[in-house]
Amino acid sequence: MKHLLVFLLASAFAFATAFSADHVAEAVPLTASSTDPVAEAVPINIRIELQVVAIPEQIAIPLVAEMKKKEKIEAANTRIQELLAKGTAKLVGWPIIITHSGQRAVCEAIKEIRYAAEYNPPTVSVSPNVPADAPAKIGPTVDLTTFEGIPTGFETRNTGVTFEVEAVLGPDGKTIDLNMVPQTVRLKGYRKVTIEGAARKGKVVVEQPQFDTNKLTTSLTVRSGERVLLGVYPIEDPPKHLEFFILKAEAIPVE
């Protein structure tokens, strides 16, 4: 009996020791996971910049060919910055956006132009010019003051540079997916519009604004820090110039 009791006590001690060791072994990975590099990853922002530049046609056309080649685009961009510094090229806009991955962001540098878009047509008011005690017929009188068109509705148009973008950083941390809508709007001038009354009775001439718009809606994937020529547009202000849309996007660790 005594030997049996000793055996049982020894077995219980061995089991308790093994149970404790198992739990210690399981606890080690849980402690180690707190130092997992993923858990301590540095947060990342994405910076997107769009440089809009107007360049004289004779200089711009050779630059377009260079901006299309990855091995030459940086040198061509340096040339464009030199043209800006000399005043040969004109900086139209340079929106810079810093945002989180997956967030939509908008940058605007605009001037609002408000104008009348709807008018009441002119009317002709005719009244008899006949005194109450006059026996004879006298011709009617036309009231010319009713020939004016009266504005009844207004619209607002934004001129300048607008940049709307959504950027998503790829799993590799080196590529960026972009959905974007860059655009420039200019006031070209005013044109005369004739508003006629019913049955062509009476008309008035009003001025309406005209706008030039360069707009691009696109999606693409770029490498972080890569520069891309998005589009080239002929413009009239300044005359005989081409407008470049130059994009650069990069991932920036938060320090």
Side-chain angles (χ1 to χ4, degrees):
M1 175 66 74
K2 183 177 179 180
H3 291 288
L4 178 61
L5 180 60
V6 172
F7 175 80
L8 292 175
L9 289 174
S11 298
F13 178 80
F15 176 80
T17 303
F19 179 81
S20 176
D22 287 343
H23 276 261
V24 170
E26 291 177 1
V28 171
L30 294 177
T31 304
S33 65
S34 62
T35 60
D36 192 327
V38 176
E40 297 181 355
V42 177
I44 301 293
N45 286 330
I46 301 177
R47 179 170 62 198
I48 313 105
E49 58 180 88
L50 176 74
Q51 192 175 51
V52 184
V53 185
I55 306 174
E57 288 182 353
Q58 292 182 347
I59 303 174
I61 292 176
L63 283 173
V64 172
E66 295 181 15
M67 295 288 287
K68 290 180 180 179
K69 300 178 181 178
K70 288 186 177 182
E71 67 275 12
K72 294 185 177 181
I73 188 170
E74 290 301 330
N77 184 70
T78 300
R79 171 65 174 151
I80 291 174
Q81 307 313 309
E82 293 173 353
L83 294 173
L84 287 171
K86 293 178 181 178
T88 305
K90 177 183 177 182
L91 181 63
V92 180
W94 197 344
I96 299 174
I97 295 175
I98 300 177
T99 183
H100 291 303
S101 176
Q103 296 295 314
R104 174 180 173 272
V106 179
C107 183
E108 296 180 332
I110 59 176
K111 179 181 179 181
E112 293 184 353
I113 296 181
R114 186 172 172 82
Y115 58 95
E118 297 179 4
Y119 293 83
N120 276 336
T123 58
V124 178
S125 177
V126 180
S127 58
N129 187 17
V130 182
D133 57 349
K137 287 187 176 182
I138 301 177
T141 297
V142 177
D143 184 6
L144 298 179
T145 60
T146 59
F147 271 54
E148 297 180 359
I150 300 175
T152 59
F154 292 84
E155 291 184 1
T156 300
R157 185 73 182 271
N158 295 332
T159 60
V161 179
T162 303
F163 186 32
E164 178 180 346
V165 63
E166 180 180 347
V168 178
L169 185 63
D172 58 2
K174 298 179 181 180
T175 57
I176 303 173
D177 294 327
L178 297 165
N179 295 314
M180 54 191 158
V181 184
Q183 72 170 356
T184 59
V185 180
R186 292 178 175 82
L187 176 63
K188 183 178 181 179
Y190 289 85
R191 62 186 178 92
K192 294 182 178 180
V193 178
T194 300
I195 302 175
E196 295 187 353
R200 298 183 181 274
K201 291 183 178 180
K203 63 181 179 180
V204 65
V205 178
V206 298
E207 290 188 339
Q208 292 288 289
Q210 287 184 301
F211 300 94
D212 281 339
T213 302
N214 293 331
K215 181 177 180 180
L216 177 67
T217 302
T218 187
S219 300
L220 72 159
T221 300
V222 299
R223 296 190 66 83
S224 179
E226 182 181 14
R227 204 178 305 272
V228 178
L229 178 63
L230 288 181
V232 181
Y233 304 90
I235 56 176
E236 297 180 2
D237 181 22
K240 295 183 178 181
H241 277 59
L242 297 180
E243 186 171 80
F244 283 40
F245 284 8
I246 306 171
L247 174 82
K248 183 180 178 181
E250 57 184 335
I252 306 174
V254 178
E255 298 180 357

